[in-house]
């Protein structure tokens, strides 16, 4: 069964060394169980907790716990849970997602890339204007901007997130853990593309984090062109079917 955890901060959980667990941990550190828009659920089989989910602002992340192996009933229940929560996206550890898919969702292939450390380029900005960053990464400011800004500032003030820019290009380091830093939301204005600016930004940021003992990685879907970095593996993200051409 999957059931709500009333107080995640008072719950002892053995998370894995994985991308999915780091996503969940970032929500635990930032919000805990104090806000209605951030909830945590446990997957239980035979009276033993074997998986964990976070539901945050319309997205769900799920992972198995250390040493746990879900069976078919757990995979089916996970799919039912996603359908019930109806998030716009869900990233699930492969052991939880199976191959049958989830009703109402499409699977979007995603690859993980290792970002090598390079020279820190002149002009790299570690405190860019956040409204400009949002417009570059997500388009014109709208009702989602306030939500994004509040979350970004909160995580940044807690030392859990950093935003960088170079020229018009920008990226976010969403979280660090287990010796790795996760780069996401890499974007460059159309008029500035094709000059290697985003690549220089990523490698410069990787150099900064390398000095702190972290290696950087990036998750990118199949719409991203070959960026010439080492592939660490891949998975699928579930996207709500509305708005996709299928």
């Amino acid at each position: 069964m999957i059931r709500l955890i009333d107080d995640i901060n008072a719950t002892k959980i053995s998370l894995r060394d994985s991308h999915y667990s780091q996503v969940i941990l970032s929500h635990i550190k930032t919000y805990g169980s104090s806000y209605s828009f951030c909830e945590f659920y446990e997957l239980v089989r035979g009276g033993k907790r074997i998986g964990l989910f976070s539901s945050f602002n319309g997205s769900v992340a799920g992972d198995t716990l250390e040493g746990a192996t879900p069976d078919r009933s757990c995979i089916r229940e996970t799919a039912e849970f996603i359908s019930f929560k109806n998030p716009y996206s869900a990233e699930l550890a492969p052991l939880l997602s199976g191959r049958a898919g989830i009703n109402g969702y499409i699977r979007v292939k995603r690859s993980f890339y290792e970002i090598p450390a390079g020279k820190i380029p002149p002009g790299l900005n570690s405190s860019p204007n956040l409204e400009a960053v949002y417009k570059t990464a997500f388009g014109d400011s709208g009702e989602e901007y306030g939500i994004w800004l509040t979350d970004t500032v909160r995580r940044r003030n807690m030392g859990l997130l950093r935003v960088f820019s170079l020229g018009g290009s920008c990226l976010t380091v969403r979280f660090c853990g287990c010796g790795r830093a996760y780069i996401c939301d890499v974007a460059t204005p159309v008029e500035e593309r094709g000059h290697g600016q985003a690549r220089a930004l990523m490698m410069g940021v990787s150099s900064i984090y390398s000095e702190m003992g972290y290696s950087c990685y990036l998750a990118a879907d199949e719409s991203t062109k070959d960026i010439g970095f080492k592939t660490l593996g891949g998975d699928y993200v579930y996207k709500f079917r509305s708005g996709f051409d299928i």
Side-chain angles (χ1 to χ4, degrees):
M1 71 175 68
I2 295 177
R3 59 193 183 192
L4 180 69
I5 298 175
D6 292 327
D7 186 357
I8 190 66
N9 297 110
T11 305
K12 186 177 180 180
I13 296 174
S14 298
L15 291 170
R16 294 195 305 133
D17 175 6
S18 73
H19 169 82
Y20 317 97
S21 283
Q22 289 300 319
V23 172
I24 296 169
L25 184 59
S26 75
H27 298 328
I28 294 174
K29 289 180 176 179
T30 308
Y31 297 104
S33 302
S34 301
Y35 299 86
S36 60
F37 56 78
C38 187
E39 296 178 325
F40 302 91
Y41 297 82
E42 60 182 352
L43 172 62
V44 178
R45 185 186 67 187
K48 182 179 179 180
R49 182 188 299 123
I50 64 169
L52 186 68
F53 301 91
S54 65
S55 175
F56 174 72
N57 268 349
S59 64
V60 168
D63 199 5
T64 56
L65 299 187
E66 191 66 52
T69 304
D71 58 16
R72 290 183 179 179
S73 65
C74 293
I75 295 173
R76 182 176 64 253
E77 190 167 1
T78 296
E80 293 171 353
F81 172 72
I82 297 300
S83 294
F84 173 76
K85 293 293 292 183
N86 197 34
Y88 65 81
S89 70
E91 49 182 329
L92 306 170
L95 285 175
L96 286 173
S97 58
R99 298 181 178 180
I102 298 175
N103 186 38
Y105 288 80
I106 62 170
R107 296 199 308 171
V108 178
K109 189 175 182 180
R110 179 172 69 172
S111 297
F112 293 96
Y113 297 94
E114 180 180 355
I115 308 301
K119 291 183 178 180
I120 298 177
L124 190 149
N125 186 355
S126 60
S127 300
N129 177 276
L130 292 181
E131 183 175 2
V133 168
Y134 182 87
K135 287 183 177 181
T136 299
F138 305 108
D140 291 335
S141 298
E143 61 181 18
E144 296 298 322
Y145 172 65
I147 297 173
W148 175 88
L149 181 64
T150 300
D151 180 59
T152 296
V153 171
R154 180 181 178 88
R155 292 175 189 264
R156 187 181 63 179
N157 290 345
M158 295 176 72
L160 302 175
L161 172 152
R162 293 183 70 183
V163 180
F164 297 86
S165 70
L166 178 66
S169 297
C170 59
L171 63 77
T172 298
V173 178
R174 191 70 178 171
F175 52 73
C176 299
C178 301
R180 295 189 301 278
Y182 172 47
I183 290 176
C184 63
D185 300 334
V186 182
T188 302
V190 174
E191 64 273 13
E192 295 185 30
R193 293 175 186 173
H195 303 290
Q197 190 169 263
R199 182 183 180 89
L201 173 60
M202 285 189 283
M203 294 177 68
V205 168
S206 182
S207 180
I208 292 172
Y209 276 84
S210 177
E211 293 177 359
M212 296 188 288
Y214 295 99
S215 58
C216 286
Y217 73 101
L218 166 75
D221 64 31
E222 56 189 349
S223 66
T224 301
K225 296 180 180 180
D226 183 14
I227 56 178
F229 295 142
K230 178 182 177 181
T231 304
L232 299 175
D235 67 354
Y236 292 92
V237 176
Y238 290 88
K239 298 285 188 178
F240 190 65
R241 215 174 263 277
S242 178
F244 284 83
D245 296 325
I246 58 174

